[in-house]
């Protein structure tokens, strides 16, 4: 995945990520005792919710720091450190659930991801997921891209935001039948008032700033704030122009 997490800051300032994932749980068609994987479980908040639904759930994540919080917060649950591209299960499961994960995985690795999930599912098992879709945070990324360009720098875009048509095709090629797909705007408020935008960039868009000196980074962040304030700052908060894609697919 194209991200290294500051787990404590994520828990403190970006708890909206798992909170919005609550709505995705409603797409699951599962029963008490069914085996479910929470793929990219992060700090375990949604793993806990799956458990409260009566499911036999295992959380999987590649971040040891995130898993440390998950295990400390929910010691009764099972969490495994593994990458989404090479995780294994002892026996096939009834469902794989994932929130805000797939957009961190490069486009060329998406078929491998979906084949891996398909192998983990029983026949008729379901994948329910939500992640960034076409146009997600496009205003933020374009403002940063322009600031980079005027300095002769390349803006390293490390996300994968597909259309419904693009991702449905990938799912079908991996042996799934798509039964639900929705692409929708979801402007999302940041905490920390006037600092919200730069905090969001420093948490979720680190790659372009690696090896950059602090002065240049601060200049670019200030330019982004100035360029975006009319569109994305209102009522004392920054609102990131999120677009989400929500999907449900069945293993054929």
């Amino acid at each position: 995945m194209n991200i290294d997490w500051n787990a404590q800051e994520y828990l403190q300032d970006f708890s909206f990520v798992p909170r919005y994932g609550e709505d995705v749980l409603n797409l699951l068609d599962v029963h008490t005792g069914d085996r479910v994987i929470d793929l990219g479980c992060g700090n375990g908040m949604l793993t806990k919710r799956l458990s409260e639904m009566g499911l036999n759930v295992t959380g999987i994540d590649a971040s040891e720091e995130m898993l440390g919080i998950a295990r400390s917060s929910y010691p009764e649950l099972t969490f495994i450190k593994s990458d989404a591209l090479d995780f294994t299960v002892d026996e096939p499961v009834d469902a794989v659930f994932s929130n805000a994960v797939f957009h961190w995985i490069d486009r060329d690795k998406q078929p491998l991801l979906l084949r891996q999930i398909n192998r983990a599912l029983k026949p008729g098992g379901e994948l329910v997921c939500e992640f960034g879709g076409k146009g997600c945070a496009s205003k933020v990324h374009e403002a940063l891209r322009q600031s980079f360009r005027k300095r002769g720098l390349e803006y390293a875009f490390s996300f994968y935001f597909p259309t419904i048509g693009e991702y449905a095709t990938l799912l079908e090629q991996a042996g799934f039948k798509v039964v639900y797909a929705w692409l929708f705007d979801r402007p999302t408020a940041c905490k920390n008032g006037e600092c919200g935008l730069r905090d969001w960039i420093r948490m979720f868009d680190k790659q372009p700033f690696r090896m950059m000196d602090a002065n240049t980074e601060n200049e670019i962040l200030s330019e982004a704030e100035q360029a975006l304030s009319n569109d994305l700052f209102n009522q004392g908060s920054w609102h990131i122009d999120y677009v989400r894609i929500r999907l449900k697919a069945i293993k054929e």
Side-chain angles (χ1 to χ4, degrees):
M1 291 175 64
N2 299 319
I3 186 70
D4 297 317
W5 295 107
N6 181 325
Q8 288 293 341
E9 185 179 343
Y10 180 96
L11 182 66
Q12 176 180 334
D13 294 332
F14 300 98
S15 59
F16 66 80
V17 177
R19 188 175 70 248
Y20 277 113
E22 295 262 353
D23 290 341
V24 194
L25 296 172
N26 296 326
L27 285 178
L28 286 166
D29 183 16
V30 286
H31 307 89
T32 299
D34 280 355
R35 299 180 71 238
V36 178
I37 290 171
D38 182 5
L39 188 59
C41 64
N43 58 30
M45 291 177 65
L46 291 174
T47 320
K48 176 63 173 177
R49 283 287 294 113
L50 289 162
S51 176
E52 291 170 347
M53 293 166 61
L55 303 172
N56 182 0
V57 59
T58 298
I60 295 177
D61 204 279
S63 168
E64 191 61 57
E65 191 176 3
M66 284 289 197
L67 288 174
I69 292 176
R71 290 169 177 145
S72 175
S73 301
Y74 313 108
E76 74 280 11
L77 301 182
T78 300
F79 296 98
I80 297 172
K81 185 178 188 297
S82 188
D83 191 277
L85 299 178
D86 62 9
F87 72 95
T88 59
V89 293
D90 294 334
E91 58 182 294
V93 300
D94 299 283
V96 172
F97 172 85
S98 186
N99 179 62
V101 174
F102 290 6
H103 55 251
W104 296 110
I105 297 172
D106 291 339
R107 165 61 180 85
D108 63 345
K109 296 178 181 176
Q110 292 289 328
L112 173 59
L113 167 69
L114 296 178
R115 289 196 301 269
Q116 194 74 9
I117 292 170
N118 189 281
R119 282 194 292 267
L121 286 168
K122 296 177 180 178
E126 59 189 44
L127 166 64
V128 169
C129 57
E130 182 178 300
F131 55 100
K134 179 71 172 180
C136 187
S138 60
K139 292 180 180 179
V140 177
H141 293 302
E142 182 55 30
L144 292 172
R145 188 175 289 109
Q146 290 184 16
S147 287
F148 273 67
R149 185 182 296 125
K150 81 176 189 179
R151 291 172 170 81
L153 302 173
E154 180 181 357
Y155 179 65
F157 188 77
S158 56
F159 304 90
Y160 173 57
F161 297 139
T163 64
I164 286 176
E166 180 180 355
Y167 213 76
T169 299
L170 292 176
L171 284 162
E172 290 168 353
Q173 291 171 346
F176 288 96
K177 177 175 68 174
V178 179
V179 297
Y180 179 90
W182 183 30
L183 184 74
F184 60 99
D185 294 336
R186 196 198 70 201
T188 302
C190 298
K191 288 186 177 181
N192 299 338
E194 294 184 357
C195 296
L197 177 63
R198 63 177 57 211
D199 288 349
W200 184 91
I201 293 169
R202 283 172 168 157
M203 173 59 71
F204 295 114
D205 198 13
K206 300 177 181 181
Q207 189 67 28
F209 296 92
R210 293 190 188 279
M211 309 304 293
M212 181 179 289
D213 66 88
N215 287 338
T216 303
E217 176 180 328
N218 285 323
E219 287 176 3
I220 290 174
L221 294 176
S222 295
E223 288 175 5
E225 289 170 336
Q226 184 175 0
L228 295 168
S229 61
N230 288 339
D231 286 337
L232 302 184
F233 188 77
N234 59 78
Q235 298 182 335
S237 296
W238 286 96
H239 295 74
I240 308 302
D241 54 326
Y242 273 20
V243 178
R244 310 313 272 175
I245 186 168
R246 187 176 294 179
L247 296 159
K248 179 174 180 177
I250 307 298
K251 176 177 177 175
E252 294 192 295

